[in-house]
Amino acid sequence: MRATVMYSAGDVRIENLPDASIVEPTDAVIRVTRACICGSDLWPYRGMERSEKGRSMGHEAVGVVEDVGSEVRTVKRGDLVIMPFACSDGICAFCKEGLYTACIHGGFFGGGSLGGAQAEAVRIPNADGTLFKIAPRIDDDLLPALLTLSDVMGTGHHAAVVAKVGPGKDVAVVGDGAVGLCGVIAAKRLGAERIIILGRHADRIALAREFGATDVVSERGEAAVERVRELTRGEGAHAVLECVGNVDAMETAIQIARPGGSVGRVGVPQDAAIPASGPAFMKNITIGGGPAPVRAYIDELLPDVLEGRIRPGRVFDREIGLDDVPNGYREMDERKAIKVMIRP
């Protein structure tokens, strides 16, 4: 089968790999019908050291079940499924609490021993606890939105939940990538009164406004902090969604949170320490977040997607075939695309 392999920063190739197949009786194999490039894929694209073996890429997919192991009970051949970015057994203590990304038998697609989803097919360990079956008759126009439930929409929602977004609150979203834009959707859906997007790309800002952003802050650093305070009566935001992952974004998130506020961080951290810990402490700010347990959120978000109340699939502004994936990485890295969808 053809699949995407990254060998070093900027070196992405489409290669022929052994076909995905059943290894354990709890496995399934899906034929990928839609996949995509994630903003977090750009971190290795910019900084990965040379690897002779390479790394299989991609952790978001919608697909059709092609084969199942003898112990799989919840999906069968021909089922249309969402593949969350992490696999999980569904039965460990953490899965039972809804924290699927902490599963003791889990892992993350597109890294380590698990295959990547930017491919024609992928093996799914712990299929019963990982895959989410959806209705067999789904309009193709809905597939992009369903694909976002495998990561970015669930991740934006996770940031909002952790930051305690609710009716009447002022919310700030740091980052105008796909996760930040989905964070705007989530904040609007949860009843936020004011939603401030921190970003400076015209196309993304326009989409954020359509999703429900009430205000835009294009400044950076201290100027951005001052502008957010102006918009929030000098207090800062009740809830801040940090959707980037670098030091500057996290420091800004802490600085713009009001005393007693919360920061939901879902940008993959690129540094070992959290900046501005002193101000966070003095302002009694709650900081939480991590890899979003997106499987736990699908039941809640799916009806809104199917009924058109939210349209997170609009974050995809490029659609490509598998052979064009290397160029898709370049376009996202150069900010020429918000998020690239792949049709293998």
Side-chain angles (χ1 to χ4, degrees):
M1 67 176 193
R2 295 185 306 147
T4 304
V5 181
M6 185 181 293
Y7 284 92
S8 68
D11 186 1
V12 177
R13 311 176 197 175
I14 305 303
E15 300 202 331
N16 289 312
L17 300 182
D19 289 343
S21 61
I22 302 296
V23 176
E24 301 291 340
T26 51
D27 289 350
V29 172
I30 68 168
R31 173 174 53 83
V32 177
T33 56
R34 297 291 189 281
C36 52
I37 301 171
C38 184
S40 65
D41 293 333
L42 297 180
W43 293 119
Y45 185 75
R46 294 165 182 161
M48 179 179 169
E49 294 184 2
R50 172 64 57 183
S51 166
E52 294 303 317
K53 181 181 178 181
R55 170 180 167 180
S56 294
M57 297 301 295
H59 53 260
E60 305 153 276
V62 171
V64 176
V65 177
E66 293 228 308
D67 199 5
V68 295
S70 60
E71 296 181 14
V72 174
R73 298 289 179 263
T74 61
V75 296
K76 64 183 185 303
R77 292 178 181 85
D79 283 345
L80 181 65
V81 293
I82 298 170
M83 184 202 86
F85 67 83
C87 77
S88 52
D89 63 16
I91 58 174
C92 81
F94 300 110
C95 288
K96 289 179 179 178
E97 294 171 6
L99 193 59
Y100 291 95
T101 47
C103 178
I104 61 175
H105 300 119
F108 298 93
F109 292 101
S113 61
L114 299 184
Q118 293 166 12
E120 293 178 322
V122 62
R123 178 177 77 92
I124 312 295
N126 297 314
D128 283 339
T130 300
L131 296 175
F132 191 100
K133 183 170 67 173
I134 49 184
R137 292 184 177 85
I138 292 289
D139 193 313
D140 276 2
D141 290 344
L142 279 175
L143 291 180
L146 295 175
L147 179 58
T148 69
L149 299 182
S150 70
D151 187 349
V152 290
M153 185 60 229
T155 295
H157 179 72
H158 185 56
V161 169
V162 170
K164 304 174 187 176
V165 173
K169 291 192 175 183
D170 295 331
V171 178
V173 180
V174 181
D176 59 5
V179 172
L181 292 169
C182 287
V184 172
I185 294 174
K188 175 73 172 178
R189 182 179 173 276
L190 292 172
E193 180 174 317
R194 166 166 265 152
I195 303 171
I196 306 164
I197 180 80
L198 279 73
R200 57 200 317 178
H201 301 92
D203 56 340
R204 300 169 187 221
I205 294 307
L207 191 55
R209 285 194 179 279
E210 292 183 40
F211 284 162
T214 57
D215 302 274
V216 176
V217 171
S218 296
E219 296 88 346
R220 290 186 175 181
E222 188 57 35
V225 175
E226 289 304 315
R227 181 62 183 140
V228 172
R229 287 176 181 160
E230 288 174 7
L231 292 167
T232 56
R233 306 163 301 282
E235 298 171 0
H238 297 92
V240 182
L241 284 54
E242 194 283 292
C243 304
V244 179
N246 61 29
V247 168
D248 291 343
M250 191 62 197
E251 183 165 1
T252 297
I254 291 170
Q255 296 287 2
I256 64 178
R258 78 197 302 268
S262 299
V263 175
R265 62 190 306 233
V266 293
V268 178
Q270 299 305 299
D271 299 274
I274 296 177
S277 58
F281 177 82
M282 294 306 296
K283 293 200 296 180
N284 278 282
I285 292 172
T286 300
I287 300 173
V294 297
R295 197 184 192 285
Y297 297 133
I298 296 176
D299 271 322
E300 177 182 350
L301 297 172
L302 182 60
D304 284 354
V305 167
L306 294 178
E307 294 171 25
R309 288 190 291 269
I310 61 174
R311 299 176 62 196
R314 295 181 65 198
V315 299
F316 296 107
D317 55 349
R318 296 285 192 283
E319 182 178 313
I320 61 174
L322 199 55
D323 289 334
D324 290 328
V325 167
N327 187 55
Y329 272 84
R330 283 191 293 272
E331 290 203 330
M332 283 186 61
D333 184 49
E334 295 170 1
R335 300 292 192 271
K336 294 178 180 177
I338 300 172
K339 191 167 178 67
V340 173
M341 185 168 63
I342 304 163
R343 297 183 67 163

